[in-house]
Amino acid sequence: MASPIPAPFAPKNILLIKLRHHGDMLLTTPVINALRQRYPQANIDVLLYKETRPMLEAHPAIRQLHIIDRNWKKEGGWQKFRHEMALLSAVRTCHYDVVINLADQWRSAIITRFSAAPVRIGFAYAKRDHALWRWCHNYLVSTKKHNQLHTVEQNMAALEPLGISAEGAKASMHFSAADKQKVQDALVQQKVSGPFIVLQPTSRWVFKCWEDEKVAQLIDTLAADGHTLVLTAAPDQKEQAMIAHIQSLCHSQNVVSLAGQLSLPQLAALIDAAQLFIGVDSAPMHMAAALDTPCLAMFGPTKLQHWRPWGENNRVIWAGDYAPLPSPDDIDTKTEQRYLSAIPVDDVVAAARSFLHD
């Protein structure tokens, strides 16, 4: 592709595109932070799915968020077309100097092209080895090493044409003073006054979860050590039911639930105030790592290389160290099987205690 962009290049307006889930959005923050550091005067905007907006809406480096609502398609062809045209118009009006497309969808490539930005960076995905993809981007970054890299490192590679290195890449999660206040009020209401541990045992995918009985044993053991535990989960009905079941199995009174009561930025404020986060492979786990809260993460058949918590203050307990696991690519995501079941309670307790006694 085109040679690297000459050094004095100083963009005024930058657009970053990523159309994925909540955790993925958080893992774009090292790119946003690196762009802010290199171009302190630039306006940085992000295009994302509407439901993932809470992950980035309080980020101080972002000027505005362009939104794609997945419900547009339910409104019928003409209405959807009008939404898409309005989005393209809003993007063009911003006169971007650089568009960095971290997504692999055709839609993101078309938006990149129609932005009319002079610098349009994308990834040379094998599945997008097509003239149209090349026409949409004038800088394509190789993905040959992606299978060896963490998602953060993959994202940071998109900055190579700008001469920005992946070294020191730092994720971040932001929340407002109002979010912090809401959390403090919720803790007071639950009579939590001292240090506490946040435990998020749920995921929208059951195959990423540990058994409820083991979670309850973990809670009772840590509570017997004198720790207060705060349970969290999404507002989702299945996750709420799982939390209620775990609570019914606990013997200790030293556990409270804020499950389903907090927005994602409020959950971030809670995790930021915690002495330890314990959870499964999920967006809150990535939030804990980004907030530098000590993080104990339990993993099953997920690509650890890509999705482990990013940062220094983390420990992963992997079910594959205790029993054979299926390949992450072969998982039926709708399965009710809990692949973390091989992880013994004692090892999680020991890891938690090592963090708490540091």
PDB file of all heavy atoms in Angstrom, residues 197 217-227 229 275-278 294-296 315 317 345-358:
ATOM      1  N   ILE A 197     -15.177  -6.240  47.834  1.00  0.00           N
ATOM      2  CA  ILE A 197     -14.779  -6.959  46.617  1.00  0.00           C
ATOM      3  C   ILE A 197     -15.977  -6.961  45.669  1.00  0.00           C
ATOM      4  O   ILE A 197     -17.100  -7.231  46.105  1.00  0.00           O
ATOM      5  CB  ILE A 197     -14.404  -8.423  46.958  1.00  0.00           C
ATOM      6  CG1 ILE A 197     -13.202  -8.472  47.905  1.00  0.00           C
ATOM      7  CG2 ILE A 197     -14.143  -9.239  45.696  1.00  0.00           C
ATOM      8  CD1 ILE A 197     -13.001  -9.827  48.578  1.00  0.00           C
ATOM      9  N   GLN A 217     -19.620 -20.847  47.438  1.00  0.00           N
ATOM     10  CA  GLN A 217     -18.534 -21.283  48.348  1.00  0.00           C
ATOM     11  C   GLN A 217     -17.434 -20.228  48.431  1.00  0.00           C
ATOM     12  O   GLN A 217     -16.893 -19.953  49.503  1.00  0.00           O
ATOM     13  CB  GLN A 217     -17.912 -22.586  47.833  1.00  0.00           C
ATOM     14  CG  GLN A 217     -18.730 -23.844  48.110  1.00  0.00           C
ATOM     15  CD  GLN A 217     -18.041 -25.063  47.478  1.00  0.00           C
ATOM     16  OE1 GLN A 217     -16.834 -25.276  47.640  1.00  0.00           O
ATOM     17  NE2 GLN A 217     -18.802 -25.850  46.732  1.00  0.00           N
ATOM     18  N   LEU A 218     -17.105 -19.642  47.273  1.00  0.00           N
ATOM     19  CA  LEU A 218     -16.086 -18.584  47.235  1.00  0.00           C
ATOM     20  C   LEU A 218     -16.526 -17.405  48.105  1.00  0.00           C
ATOM     21  O   LEU A 218     -15.752 -16.884  48.913  1.00  0.00           O
ATOM     22  CB  LEU A 218     -15.872 -18.119  45.786  1.00  0.00           C
ATOM     23  CG  LEU A 218     -14.964 -16.907  45.578  1.00  0.00           C
ATOM     24  CD1 LEU A 218     -13.509 -17.243  45.914  1.00  0.00           C
ATOM     25  CD2 LEU A 218     -15.051 -16.378  44.143  1.00  0.00           C
ATOM     26  N   ILE A 219     -17.795 -17.005  47.947  1.00  0.00           N
ATOM     27  CA  ILE A 219     -18.336 -15.885  48.729  1.00  0.00           C
ATOM     28  C   ILE A 219     -18.257 -16.191  50.220  1.00  0.00           C
ATOM     29  O   ILE A 219     -17.765 -15.380  51.016  1.00  0.00           O
ATOM     30  CB  ILE A 219     -19.798 -15.589  48.318  1.00  0.00           C
ATOM     31  CG1 ILE A 219     -19.844 -15.011  46.896  1.00  0.00           C
ATOM     32  CG2 ILE A 219     -20.471 -14.634  49.314  1.00  0.00           C
ATOM     33  CD1 ILE A 219     -21.238 -14.981  46.274  1.00  0.00           C
ATOM     34  N   ASP A 220     -18.727 -17.382  50.609  1.00  0.00           N
ATOM     35  CA  ASP A 220     -18.746 -17.738  52.040  1.00  0.00           C
ATOM     36  C   ASP A 220     -17.327 -17.775  52.625  1.00  0.00           C
ATOM     37  O   ASP A 220     -17.105 -17.327  53.752  1.00  0.00           O
ATOM     38  CB  ASP A 220     -19.443 -19.097  52.237  1.00  0.00           C
ATOM     39  CG  ASP A 220     -20.964 -18.987  52.109  1.00  0.00           C
ATOM     40  OD1 ASP A 220     -21.496 -17.862  52.234  1.00  0.00           O
ATOM     41  OD2 ASP A 220     -21.621 -20.025  51.883  1.00  0.00           O
ATOM     42  N   THR A 221     -16.370 -18.290  51.842  1.00  0.00           N
ATOM     43  CA  THR A 221     -14.986 -18.384  52.331  1.00  0.00           C
ATOM     44  C   THR A 221     -14.373 -17.000  52.518  1.00  0.00           C
ATOM     45  O   THR A 221     -13.756 -16.702  53.550  1.00  0.00           O
ATOM     46  CB  THR A 221     -14.113 -19.218  51.359  1.00  0.00           C
ATOM     47  OG1 THR A 221     -14.767 -20.457  51.102  1.00  0.00           O
ATOM     48  CG2 THR A 221     -12.738 -19.481  51.933  1.00  0.00           C
ATOM     49  N   LEU A 222     -14.551 -16.124  51.511  1.00  0.00           N
ATOM     50  CA  LEU A 222     -13.974 -14.771  51.618  1.00  0.00           C
ATOM     51  C   LEU A 222     -14.700 -13.941  52.672  1.00  0.00           C
ATOM     52  O   LEU A 222     -14.096 -13.127  53.359  1.00  0.00           O
ATOM     53  CB  LEU A 222     -14.004 -14.075  50.246  1.00  0.00           C
ATOM     54  CG  LEU A 222     -13.086 -14.682  49.174  1.00  0.00           C
ATOM     55  CD1 LEU A 222     -13.258 -13.970  47.836  1.00  0.00           C
ATOM     56  CD2 LEU A 222     -11.614 -14.638  49.597  1.00  0.00           C
ATOM     57  N   ALA A 223     -16.004 -14.178  52.800  1.00  0.00           N
ATOM     58  CA  ALA A 223     -16.777 -13.467  53.833  1.00  0.00           C
ATOM     59  C   ALA A 223     -16.311 -13.889  55.225  1.00  0.00           C
ATOM     60  O   ALA A 223     -16.223 -13.061  56.142  1.00  0.00           O
ATOM     61  CB  ALA A 223     -18.264 -13.741  53.653  1.00  0.00           C
ATOM     62  N   ALA A 224     -15.994 -15.185  55.369  1.00  0.00           N
ATOM     63  CA  ALA A 224     -15.492 -15.687  56.662  1.00  0.00           C
ATOM     64  C   ALA A 224     -14.141 -15.060  57.006  1.00  0.00           C
ATOM     65  O   ALA A 224     -13.790 -14.929  58.189  1.00  0.00           O
ATOM     66  CB  ALA A 224     -15.371 -17.213  56.619  1.00  0.00           C
ATOM     67  N   ASP A 225     -13.400 -14.631  55.972  1.00  0.00           N
ATOM     68  CA  ASP A 225     -12.124 -13.919  56.195  1.00  0.00           C
ATOM     69  C   ASP A 225     -12.371 -12.475  56.625  1.00  0.00           C
ATOM     70  O   ASP A 225     -11.426 -11.742  56.918  1.00  0.00           O
ATOM     71  CB  ASP A 225     -11.302 -13.870  54.892  1.00  0.00           C
ATOM     72  CG  ASP A 225     -10.690 -15.223  54.522  1.00  0.00           C
ATOM     73  OD1 ASP A 225     -10.796 -16.165  55.317  1.00  0.00           O
ATOM     74  OD2 ASP A 225     -10.111 -15.326  53.414  1.00  0.00           O
ATOM     75  N   GLY A 226     -13.636 -12.050  56.572  1.00  0.00           N
ATOM     76  CA  GLY A 226     -13.971 -10.683  56.983  1.00  0.00           C
ATOM     77  C   GLY A 226     -14.209  -9.715  55.841  1.00  0.00           C
ATOM     78  O   GLY A 226     -14.330  -8.508  56.049  1.00  0.00           O
ATOM     79  N   HIS A 227     -14.279 -10.227  54.605  1.00  0.00           N
ATOM     80  CA  HIS A 227     -14.477  -9.346  53.447  1.00  0.00           C
ATOM     81  C   HIS A 227     -15.953  -9.186  53.110  1.00  0.00           C
ATOM     82  O   HIS A 227     -16.751 -10.108  53.296  1.00  0.00           O
ATOM     83  CB  HIS A 227     -13.734  -9.911  52.226  1.00  0.00           C
ATOM     84  CG  HIS A 227     -12.261 -10.028  52.428  1.00  0.00           C
ATOM     85  ND1 HIS A 227     -11.432  -8.933  52.545  1.00  0.00           N
ATOM     86  CD2 HIS A 227     -11.463 -11.126  52.569  1.00  0.00           C
ATOM     87  CE1 HIS A 227     -10.184  -9.341  52.730  1.00  0.00           C
ATOM     88  NE2 HIS A 227     -10.179 -10.662  52.761  1.00  0.00           N
ATOM     89  N   LEU A 229     -18.630  -8.673  50.069  1.00  0.00           N
ATOM     90  CA  LEU A 229     -18.699  -8.895  48.626  1.00  0.00           C
ATOM     91  C   LEU A 229     -19.925  -8.223  48.031  1.00  0.00           C
ATOM     92  O   LEU A 229     -21.018  -8.287  48.617  1.00  0.00           O
ATOM     93  CB  LEU A 229     -18.714 -10.402  48.319  1.00  0.00           C
ATOM     94  CG  LEU A 229     -17.353 -11.060  48.620  1.00  0.00           C
ATOM     95  CD1 LEU A 229     -17.386 -11.788  49.937  1.00  0.00           C
ATOM     96  CD2 LEU A 229     -16.936 -11.978  47.492  1.00  0.00           C
ATOM     97  N   GLN A 275     -11.558  -3.084  46.259  1.00  0.00           N
ATOM     98  CA  GLN A 275     -10.178  -3.512  46.534  1.00  0.00           C
ATOM     99  C   GLN A 275      -9.769  -4.660  45.615  1.00  0.00           C
ATOM    100  O   GLN A 275      -8.578  -4.931  45.427  1.00  0.00           O
ATOM    101  CB  GLN A 275      -9.998  -3.891  48.007  1.00  0.00           C
ATOM    102  CG  GLN A 275     -10.913  -4.993  48.486  1.00  0.00           C
ATOM    103  CD  GLN A 275     -10.754  -5.298  49.966  1.00  0.00           C
ATOM    104  OE1 GLN A 275     -11.684  -5.722  50.613  1.00  0.00           O
ATOM    105  NE2 GLN A 275      -9.581  -5.090  50.529  1.00  0.00           N
ATOM    106  N   LEU A 276     -10.780  -5.342  45.037  1.00  0.00           N
ATOM    107  CA  LEU A 276     -10.509  -6.468  44.139  1.00  0.00           C
ATOM    108  C   LEU A 276     -11.736  -6.714  43.270  1.00  0.00           C
ATOM    109  O   LEU A 276     -12.869  -6.551  43.738  1.00  0.00           O
ATOM    110  CB  LEU A 276     -10.192  -7.738  44.960  1.00  0.00           C
ATOM    111  CG  LEU A 276     -10.052  -9.072  44.212  1.00  0.00           C
ATOM    112  CD1 LEU A 276      -8.848  -9.049  43.273  1.00  0.00           C
ATOM    113  CD2 LEU A 276      -9.915 -10.242  45.196  1.00  0.00           C
ATOM    114  N   PHE A 277     -11.500  -7.084  42.008  1.00  0.00           N
ATOM    115  CA  PHE A 277     -12.584  -7.530  41.129  1.00  0.00           C
ATOM    116  C   PHE A 277     -12.348  -8.999  40.813  1.00  0.00           C
ATOM    117  O   PHE A 277     -11.235  -9.399  40.443  1.00  0.00           O
ATOM    118  CB  PHE A 277     -12.589  -6.724  39.816  1.00  0.00           C
ATOM    119  CG  PHE A 277     -13.570  -7.254  38.792  1.00  0.00           C
ATOM    120  CD1 PHE A 277     -14.886  -6.805  38.777  1.00  0.00           C
ATOM    121  CD2 PHE A 277     -13.179  -8.215  37.871  1.00  0.00           C
ATOM    122  CE1 PHE A 277     -15.797  -7.314  37.851  1.00  0.00           C
ATOM    123  CE2 PHE A 277     -14.080  -8.731  36.946  1.00  0.00           C
ATOM    124  CZ  PHE A 277     -15.394  -8.275  36.936  1.00  0.00           C
ATOM    125  N   ILE A 278     -13.398  -9.815  40.989  1.00  0.00           N
ATOM    126  CA  ILE A 278     -13.335 -11.226  40.589  1.00  0.00           C
ATOM    127  C   ILE A 278     -14.448 -11.438  39.571  1.00  0.00           C
ATOM    128  O   ILE A 278     -15.604 -11.063  39.818  1.00  0.00           O
ATOM    129  CB  ILE A 278     -13.547 -12.182  41.784  1.00  0.00           C
ATOM    130  CG1 ILE A 278     -12.541 -11.897  42.908  1.00  0.00           C
ATOM    131  CG2 ILE A 278     -13.445 -13.642  41.337  1.00  0.00           C
ATOM    132  CD1 ILE A 278     -12.788 -12.686  44.204  1.00  0.00           C
ATOM    133  N   PRO A 294      -7.184  -4.372  41.069  1.00  0.00           N
ATOM    134  CA  PRO A 294      -6.703  -5.756  41.004  1.00  0.00           C
ATOM    135  C   PRO A 294      -7.805  -6.667  40.456  1.00  0.00           C
ATOM    136  O   PRO A 294      -8.951  -6.582  40.887  1.00  0.00           O
ATOM    137  CB  PRO A 294      -6.362  -6.089  42.460  1.00  0.00           C
ATOM    138  CG  PRO A 294      -6.029  -4.751  43.061  1.00  0.00           C
ATOM    139  CD  PRO A 294      -6.922  -3.760  42.386  1.00  0.00           C
ATOM    140  N   CYS A 295      -7.446  -7.497  39.472  1.00  0.00           N
ATOM    141  CA  CYS A 295      -8.463  -8.226  38.711  1.00  0.00           C
ATOM    142  C   CYS A 295      -8.104  -9.712  38.651  1.00  0.00           C
ATOM    143  O   CYS A 295      -7.021 -10.075  38.194  1.00  0.00           O
ATOM    144  CB  CYS A 295      -8.540  -7.631  37.310  1.00  0.00           C
ATOM    145  SG  CYS A 295      -9.578  -8.546  36.164  1.00  0.00           S
ATOM    146  N   LEU A 296      -9.028 -10.539  39.128  1.00  0.00           N
ATOM    147  CA  LEU A 296      -8.881 -11.993  39.068  1.00  0.00           C
ATOM    148  C   LEU A 296      -9.918 -12.508  38.080  1.00  0.00           C
ATOM    149  O   LEU A 296     -11.122 -12.413  38.325  1.00  0.00           O
ATOM    150  CB  LEU A 296      -9.094 -12.584  40.466  1.00  0.00           C
ATOM    151  CG  LEU A 296      -9.047 -14.096  40.626  1.00  0.00           C
ATOM    152  CD1 LEU A 296      -7.749 -14.671  40.068  1.00  0.00           C
ATOM    153  CD2 LEU A 296      -9.194 -14.473  42.099  1.00  0.00           C
ATOM    154  N   ARG A 315      -4.663 -11.323  37.171  1.00  0.00           N
ATOM    155  CA  ARG A 315      -4.291 -12.741  37.235  1.00  0.00           C
ATOM    156  C   ARG A 315      -5.395 -13.531  36.557  1.00  0.00           C
ATOM    157  O   ARG A 315      -6.574 -13.296  36.795  1.00  0.00           O
ATOM    158  CB  ARG A 315      -4.146 -13.133  38.711  1.00  0.00           C
ATOM    159  CG  ARG A 315      -4.143 -14.623  38.964  1.00  0.00           C
ATOM    160  CD  ARG A 315      -2.827 -15.126  39.519  1.00  0.00           C
ATOM    161  NE  ARG A 315      -2.843 -16.584  39.537  1.00  0.00           N
ATOM    162  CZ  ARG A 315      -2.826 -17.313  40.634  1.00  0.00           C
ATOM    163  NH1 ARG A 315      -2.790 -16.722  41.808  1.00  0.00           N
ATOM    164  NH2 ARG A 315      -2.832 -18.624  40.563  1.00  0.00           N
ATOM    165  N   ILE A 317      -7.107 -17.276  35.834  1.00  0.00           N
ATOM    166  CA  ILE A 317      -7.205 -18.704  36.150  1.00  0.00           C
ATOM    167  C   ILE A 317      -7.937 -19.353  34.972  1.00  0.00           C
ATOM    168  O   ILE A 317      -9.090 -19.011  34.683  1.00  0.00           O
ATOM    169  CB  ILE A 317      -7.952 -18.951  37.473  1.00  0.00           C
ATOM    170  CG1 ILE A 317      -7.164 -18.317  38.633  1.00  0.00           C
ATOM    171  CG2 ILE A 317      -8.159 -20.442  37.709  1.00  0.00           C
ATOM    172  CD1 ILE A 317      -7.745 -18.561  40.007  1.00  0.00           C
ATOM    173  N   VAL A 345     -12.491 -24.379  43.736  1.00  0.00           N
ATOM    174  CA  VAL A 345     -12.741 -23.206  44.589  1.00  0.00           C
ATOM    175  C   VAL A 345     -11.460 -22.789  45.321  1.00  0.00           C
ATOM    176  O   VAL A 345     -11.142 -21.590  45.401  1.00  0.00           O
ATOM    177  CB  VAL A 345     -13.864 -23.515  45.620  1.00  0.00           C
ATOM    178  CG1 VAL A 345     -14.054 -22.330  46.570  1.00  0.00           C
ATOM    179  CG2 VAL A 345     -15.165 -23.828  44.901  1.00  0.00           C
ATOM    180  N   ASP A 346     -10.714 -23.767  45.829  1.00  0.00           N
ATOM    181  CA  ASP A 346      -9.516 -23.450  46.627  1.00  0.00           C
ATOM    182  C   ASP A 346      -8.518 -22.580  45.876  1.00  0.00           C
ATOM    183  O   ASP A 346      -7.881 -21.698  46.465  1.00  0.00           O
ATOM    184  CB  ASP A 346      -8.819 -24.748  47.079  1.00  0.00           C
ATOM    185  CG  ASP A 346      -9.619 -25.476  48.150  1.00  0.00           C
ATOM    186  OD1 ASP A 346     -10.616 -24.895  48.626  1.00  0.00           O
ATOM    187  OD2 ASP A 346      -9.264 -26.628  48.489  1.00  0.00           O
ATOM    188  N   ASP A 347      -8.364 -22.835  44.576  1.00  0.00           N
ATOM    189  CA  ASP A 347      -7.378 -22.076  43.796  1.00  0.00           C
ATOM    190  C   ASP A 347      -7.826 -20.628  43.598  1.00  0.00           C
ATOM    191  O   ASP A 347      -6.996 -19.704  43.593  1.00  0.00           O
ATOM    192  CB  ASP A 347      -7.142 -22.748  42.435  1.00  0.00           C
ATOM    193  CG  ASP A 347      -6.327 -24.032  42.582  1.00  0.00           C
ATOM    194  OD1 ASP A 347      -6.259 -24.559  43.709  1.00  0.00           O
ATOM    195  OD2 ASP A 347      -5.767 -24.520  41.584  1.00  0.00           O
ATOM    196  N   VAL A 348      -9.132 -20.428  43.447  1.00  0.00           N
ATOM    197  CA  VAL A 348      -9.655 -19.064  43.290  1.00  0.00           C
ATOM    198  C   VAL A 348      -9.528 -18.323  44.624  1.00  0.00           C
ATOM    199  O   VAL A 348      -9.124 -17.158  44.660  1.00  0.00           O
ATOM    200  CB  VAL A 348     -11.121 -19.075  42.794  1.00  0.00           C
ATOM    201  CG1 VAL A 348     -11.634 -17.654  42.592  1.00  0.00           C
ATOM    202  CG2 VAL A 348     -11.241 -19.870  41.491  1.00  0.00           C
ATOM    203  N   VAL A 349      -9.838 -19.016  45.713  1.00  0.00           N
ATOM    204  CA  VAL A 349      -9.699 -18.424  47.056  1.00  0.00           C
ATOM    205  C   VAL A 349      -8.242 -18.018  47.297  1.00  0.00           C
ATOM    206  O   VAL A 349      -7.957 -16.897  47.735  1.00  0.00           O
ATOM    207  CB  VAL A 349     -10.165 -19.414  48.150  1.00  0.00           C
ATOM    208  CG1 VAL A 349      -9.762 -18.917  49.540  1.00  0.00           C
ATOM    209  CG2 VAL A 349     -11.691 -19.611  48.078  1.00  0.00           C
ATOM    210  N   ALA A 350      -7.315 -18.928  46.972  1.00  0.00           N
ATOM    211  CA  ALA A 350      -5.885 -18.650  47.194  1.00  0.00           C
ATOM    212  C   ALA A 350      -5.434 -17.435  46.381  1.00  0.00           C
ATOM    213  O   ALA A 350      -4.701 -16.573  46.883  1.00  0.00           O
ATOM    214  CB  ALA A 350      -5.052 -19.873  46.838  1.00  0.00           C
ATOM    215  N   ALA A 351      -5.881 -17.371  45.119  1.00  0.00           N
ATOM    216  CA  ALA A 351      -5.496 -16.231  44.256  1.00  0.00           C
ATOM    217  C   ALA A 351      -6.087 -14.929  44.793  1.00  0.00           C
ATOM    218  O   ALA A 351      -5.401 -13.902  44.833  1.00  0.00           O
ATOM    219  CB  ALA A 351      -5.978 -16.484  42.827  1.00  0.00           C
ATOM    220  N   ALA A 352      -7.335 -14.989  45.240  1.00  0.00           N
ATOM    221  CA  ALA A 352      -7.986 -13.781  45.790  1.00  0.00           C
ATOM    222  C   ALA A 352      -7.249 -13.324  47.047  1.00  0.00           C
ATOM    223  O   ALA A 352      -6.956 -12.127  47.208  1.00  0.00           O
ATOM    224  CB  ALA A 352      -9.448 -14.077  46.106  1.00  0.00           C
ATOM    225  N   ARG A 353      -6.925 -14.283  47.909  1.00  0.00           N
ATOM    226  CA  ARG A 353      -6.212 -13.925  49.158  1.00  0.00           C
ATOM    227  C   ARG A 353      -4.843 -13.318  48.857  1.00  0.00           C
ATOM    228  O   ARG A 353      -4.415 -12.393  49.553  1.00  0.00           O
ATOM    229  CB  ARG A 353      -6.046 -15.166  50.043  1.00  0.00           C
ATOM    230  CG  ARG A 353      -7.322 -15.536  50.783  1.00  0.00           C
ATOM    231  CD  ARG A 353      -7.143 -16.841  51.564  1.00  0.00           C
ATOM    232  NE  ARG A 353      -8.312 -17.145  52.375  1.00  0.00           N
ATOM    233  CZ  ARG A 353      -8.628 -18.372  52.809  1.00  0.00           C
ATOM    234  NH1 ARG A 353      -7.842 -19.390  52.498  1.00  0.00           N
ATOM    235  NH2 ARG A 353      -9.695 -18.560  53.543  1.00  0.00           N
ATOM    236  N   SER A 354      -4.166 -13.818  47.824  1.00  0.00           N
ATOM    237  CA  SER A 354      -2.827 -13.270  47.518  1.00  0.00           C
ATOM    238  C   SER A 354      -2.943 -11.797  47.094  1.00  0.00           C
ATOM    239  O   SER A 354      -2.091 -10.989  47.427  1.00  0.00           O
ATOM    240  CB  SER A 354      -2.117 -14.104  46.451  1.00  0.00           C
ATOM    241  OG  SER A 354      -2.737 -13.924  45.197  1.00  0.00           O
ATOM    242  N   PHE A 355      -4.017 -11.436  46.380  1.00  0.00           N
ATOM    243  CA  PHE A 355      -4.255 -10.031  46.036  1.00  0.00           C
ATOM    244  C   PHE A 355      -4.590  -9.221  47.287  1.00  0.00           C
ATOM    245  O   PHE A 355      -4.101  -8.107  47.482  1.00  0.00           O
ATOM    246  CB  PHE A 355      -5.447  -9.905  45.085  1.00  0.00           C
ATOM    247  CG  PHE A 355      -5.085  -9.964  43.620  1.00  0.00           C
ATOM    248  CD1 PHE A 355      -5.654 -10.901  42.778  1.00  0.00           C
ATOM    249  CD2 PHE A 355      -4.194  -9.037  43.075  1.00  0.00           C
ATOM    250  CE1 PHE A 355      -5.346 -10.930  41.417  1.00  0.00           C
ATOM    251  CE2 PHE A 355      -3.887  -9.062  41.722  1.00  0.00           C
ATOM    252  CZ  PHE A 355      -4.459 -10.013  40.882  1.00  0.00           C
ATOM    253  N   LEU A 356      -5.453  -9.789  48.144  1.00  0.00           N
ATOM    254  CA  LEU A 356      -5.976  -9.041  49.307  1.00  0.00           C
ATOM    255  C   LEU A 356      -4.909  -8.850  50.379  1.00  0.00           C
ATOM    256  O   LEU A 356      -5.006  -7.920  51.184  1.00  0.00           O
ATOM    257  CB  LEU A 356      -7.197  -9.763  49.881  1.00  0.00           C
ATOM    258  CG  LEU A 356      -8.407  -9.791  48.939  1.00  0.00           C
ATOM    259  CD1 LEU A 356      -9.391 -10.869  49.337  1.00  0.00           C
ATOM    260  CD2 LEU A 356      -9.086  -8.429  48.900  1.00  0.00           C
ATOM    261  N   HIS A 357      -3.894  -9.724  50.404  1.00  0.00           N
ATOM    262  CA  HIS A 357      -2.876  -9.628  51.462  1.00  0.00           C
ATOM    263  C   HIS A 357      -1.635  -8.905  50.982  1.00  0.00           C
ATOM    264  O   HIS A 357      -0.669  -8.773  51.725  1.00  0.00           O
ATOM    265  CB  HIS A 357      -2.510 -11.025  51.987  1.00  0.00           C
ATOM    266  CG  HIS A 357      -3.687 -11.700  52.663  1.00  0.00           C
ATOM    267  ND1 HIS A 357      -3.843 -13.067  52.711  1.00  0.00           N
ATOM    268  CD2 HIS A 357      -4.798 -11.173  53.258  1.00  0.00           C
ATOM    269  CE1 HIS A 357      -4.971 -13.349  53.345  1.00  0.00           C
ATOM    270  NE2 HIS A 357      -5.577 -12.225  53.674  1.00  0.00           N
ATOM    271  N   ASP A 358      -1.638  -8.494  49.698  1.00  0.00           N
ATOM    272  CA  ASP A 358      -0.434  -7.787  49.173  1.00  0.00           C
ATOM    273  C   ASP A 358      -0.193  -6.508  49.949  1.00  0.00           C
ATOM    274  O   ASP A 358      -1.122  -5.779  50.264  1.00  0.00           O
ATOM    275  CB  ASP A 358      -0.645  -7.449  47.687  1.00  0.00           C
ATOM    276  CG  ASP A 358      -0.193  -8.607  46.819  1.00  0.00           C
ATOM    277  OD1 ASP A 358       0.332  -9.581  47.386  1.00  0.00           O
ATOM    278  OD2 ASP A 358      -0.369  -8.542  45.585  1.00  0.00           O
TER     279      ASP A 358
END
